[in-house]
Amino acid sequence: MMEILHTILNGLMSTLRDVLPIAAIIFGFQFLVIRRAPADLGSVLAGFVWVVVGLTLFLIGLEWALFPLGRTMAAQLTDPGFILGTAEAAEIALGTGAITWSDYGWVYLFAFMIGLSTTIAEPSLIAVAIKANEVSGGAIGAWGLRIAVALGVAGGITLGCYRIVVGDPIHWYIIVGYIVVMIQTAYAPKLIVPLAYDSGGVTTSTVTVPLVAALGIGLAETVPGRNPLIDGFGLIAFASLFPIMSVMAYAWLSEVALRRRERGAVE
Amino acid sequence: MIRFFDRFFRVMLDSIRDLTPILLVVVFFELAVLQQPVPNITQMLIGLVFVVLGLTFFVFGLEQGLFPIGESLAHDFARKGSLPWLFVFAFALGFGTTIAEPALIAVSGEASEIAAQAGVIANTEEAMARYANGLRLTVALAVGFAIVVGVLRILKGWPIHWLIIGGYIGVVIMTWFAPREIIGIAYDSGGVTTSTITVPLVTALGVGLASSIRGRNPMIDGFGLIAFASLTPMIFVMAYGILI
């Protein structure tokens, strides 16, 4: 019991350390430059307390409930002994066998599902989805946006894992991704474009980064010929590029569906 | 009071719904693939309760604290009409929230190890600490710069895609010249800069600004600040890698 309290207190301190500079900037400008208390100061301050307490519990809970298991899974799934069975792993150790990219099926499945599910739970994405729903007057459903982003992250991380396995240089993937984004920008509904660009940055924070980083570094450590320090990075970049594409695709698809429905109604 | 609890439970149900997929994935891989005993199941269950409560409180505080203050600041700045102060604020918000970002501290530490191994810097504690701090400062400057540019864009009503495409071209050009070891880190640094507290504040700031300036559409002009904040660090970090 004492131990739990101690952990909570420690977590609270570290969240406070993260929030304090932000609060100092916000309230510093509010009082020194604007020189007017915000309406409902008490309620806003209470909101900050909720955020601090909420984030603290959230992070402690993740550390207790999900991260250890997620990391163990990432480590075990990337272990050559698991991927090939012991006999073949021994051959590879002797230099007589070779792993091909298709041996990593479980890794890709895990990458896809962990990308999808962690993104759904990502608090900053929830925040942006709430705001987008509110600003668009309900036209952009919070849930649809989050599913689109999550599918993008899942696809991105899966492709990123494939890249680590085959060892391609990352920049070709990113450059091709940029070209796709530019082409989509030309065709996507105008309203969605800024939101789509934003959704690239919000996907990767509290929940996704620790698990995805563990997966990338675990893969780069165990795939023969990869350097974890060079090849282990880059998954986050994939996870922030692909949602841009999936959100624009989602908006484009829903526009097409709407147009088809309208045409059906006319006929 | 009853309304409060009503809202509280609704947010909590949402949180449970949001967290169910992760739980399913973990349970599936545990049962289907790995089949190893779970250590410390009590702690895991308590942790789950914490995660649900934490997410609930966070969303609660978001709507009560972070969103309103971000928007009211934006409105106040727009009414005050002092551009220099708005830009100082935009820079301070970007710089200040990034320099203390734990994910960034972790990534810059790892980056300094890579640099030491690659022989870019001396393999001593001191050189590595200096390199890591330089990197953090670089990223924080990049984010501060990004928010300033993003705010300027909202004020002017520039279409976002030209700026983003310009940024992409910048990234591609820098990739050409940057040392190979820094590229992966540079690409990742774009994603790690935007924390859970910064995102709602910056979003509220953008939307608030766009809705208080006449002729701006909050949907088209209000979003996009985060996109800048995740693009400029890539360029700045590669520049750092070239200079060092």
Side-chain angles (χ1 to χ4, degrees):
Chain A
M1 197 62 215
M2 274 315 283
E3 219 172 298
I4 294 183
L5 273 179
H6 192 72
T7 318
I8 294 182
L9 221 61
N10 264 341
L12 208 58
M13 290 315 281
S14 81
T15 315
L16 267 180
R17 229 184 4 247
D18 298 342
V19 175
L20 271 183
I22 301 173
I25 292 168
I26 296 275
F27 292 106
F29 273 86
Q30 183 77 54
F31 289 111
L32 299 177
V33 179
I34 304 281
R35 297 213 186 121
R36 199 167 60 89
D40 249 343
L41 181 63
S43 151
V44 166
L45 286 176
F48 269 83
V49 174
W50 282 114
V51 164
V52 170
V53 174
L55 266 187
T56 307
L57 286 179
F58 189 68
L59 292 177
I60 294 174
L62 284 179
E63 201 48 66
W64 283 0
L66 290 169
F67 285 167
L69 216 55
R71 284 196 204 107
T72 320
M73 282 181 186
Q76 283 177 335
L77 285 172
T78 50
D79 185 50
F82 168 81
I83 289 169
L84 300 163
T86 353
E88 270 186 86
E91 269 178 38
I92 294 214
L94 290 171
T96 52
I99 304 188
T100 56
W101 65 271
S102 52
D103 291 328
Y104 286 85
W106 281 113
V107 174
Y108 303 137
L109 184 68
F110 182 70
F112 189 88
M113 288 170 72
I114 219 69
L116 191 76
S117 57
T118 54
T119 307
I120 298 281
E122 198 63 78
S124 36
L125 179 61
I126 297 178
V128 168
I130 291 175
K131 203 81 216 168
N133 186 28
E134 182 193 311
V135 171
S136 67
I140 293 168
W143 191 239
L145 178 71
R146 282 166 61 195
I147 299 278
V149 173
L151 282 174
V153 173
I157 294 177
T158 312
L159 189 68
C161 284
Y162 167 79
R163 179 198 75 88
I164 294 178
V165 170
V166 297
D168 287 341
I170 184 171
H171 51 269
W172 294 118
Y173 286 79
I174 299 291
I175 291 173
V176 170
Y178 283 173
I179 294 171
V180 174
V181 168
M182 287 181 205
I183 295 172
Q184 278 185 304
T185 305
Y187 291 101
K190 237 175 122 188
L191 274 181
I192 202 79
V193 170
L195 185 64
Y197 288 158
D198 263 3
S199 56
V202 298
T203 49
T204 43
S205 49
T206 335
V207 198
T208 319
V209 169
L211 286 179
V212 167
L215 186 65
I217 290 173
L219 253 185
E221 270 170 358
T222 49
V223 177
R226 299 289 164 277
N227 180 347
L229 290 177
I230 292 179
D231 298 302
F233 288 95
L235 280 184
I236 314 271
F238 278 78
S240 16
L241 182 59
F242 277 68
I244 305 184
M245 302 181 204
S246 62
V247 170
M248 285 202 271
Y250 161 74
W252 183 76
L253 281 178
S254 40
E255 212 185 48
V256 169
L258 188 74
R259 227 177 290 154
R260 189 163 299 165
R261 219 176 305 140
E262 275 169 3
R263 210 181 304 149
V266 170
E267 283 165 12
Chain B
M1 205 60 204
I2 290 173
R3 275 229 334 258
F4 175 83
F5 278 111
D6 189 44
R7 228 184 101 212
F8 189 87
F9 278 112
R10 215 158 330 125
V11 176
M12 192 143 101
L13 281 181
D14 282 348
S15 304
I16 292 174
R17 183 197 61 187
D18 293 340
L19 292 162
T20 313
I22 303 193
L23 204 63
L24 290 179
V25 170
V26 169
V27 169
F28 169 76
F29 274 89
E30 176 62 37
L31 295 179
V33 187
L34 301 168
Q35 296 168 341
Q36 286 187 353
V38 178
N40 215 342
I41 192 107
T42 356
Q43 200 187 28
M44 237 191 106
L45 290 177
I46 300 175
L48 274 180
V49 175
F50 275 19
V51 171
V52 169
L53 281 179
L55 195 58
T56 310
F57 289 168
F58 175 78
V59 172
F60 231 65
L62 202 68
E63 290 176 341
Q64 200 180 326
L66 296 187
F67 280 159
I69 190 83
E71 280 188 29
S72 87
L73 261 173
H75 288 301
D76 287 344
F77 271 117
R79 184 156 356 119
K80 197 173 156 70
S82 157
L83 285 186
W85 276 120
L86 178 59
F87 288 133
V88 173
F89 174 70
F91 184 83
L93 191 64
F95 184 90
T97 54
T98 309
I99 194 89
E101 172 66 31
L104 177 62
I105 296 174
V107 166
S108 55
E110 282 169 59
S112 70
E113 278 173 39
I114 296 182
Q117 281 202 353
V120 180
I121 53 171
N123 200 349
T124 59
E125 289 275 313
E126 198 200 323
M128 275 161 64
R130 193 151 12 96
Y131 185 86
N133 280 333
L135 200 62
R136 263 173 72 196
L137 202 66
T138 309
V139 174
L141 281 174
V143 176
F145 173 75
I147 307 287
V148 170
V149 172
V151 165
L152 187 65
R153 171 198 151 249
I154 296 175
L155 297 180
K156 297 277 187 193
W158 292 332
I160 187 172
H161 50 270
W162 294 119
L163 288 166
I164 295 287
I165 290 174
Y168 283 173
I169 293 172
V171 171
V172 172
I173 293 175
M174 293 306 273
T175 305
W176 223 257
F177 295 106
R180 188 173 171 245
E181 307 80 43
I182 200 98
I183 292 177
I185 303 163
Y187 284 179
D188 269 3
S189 70
V192 297
T193 49
T194 41
S195 78
T196 316
I197 303 161
T198 322
V199 166
L201 275 174
V202 167
T203 306
L205 177 75
V207 169
L209 267 181
S211 57
S212 49
I213 298 172
R214 200 178 314 182
R216 297 284 171 275
N217 178 332
M219 202 58 217
I220 292 180
D221 301 299
F223 289 94
L225 287 177
I226 313 278
F228 289 129
S230 30
L231 188 58
T232 52
M234 298 195 224
I235 302 175
F236 277 52
V237 168
M238 286 193 271
Y240 183 72
I242 292 171
L243 290 176
I244 291 276

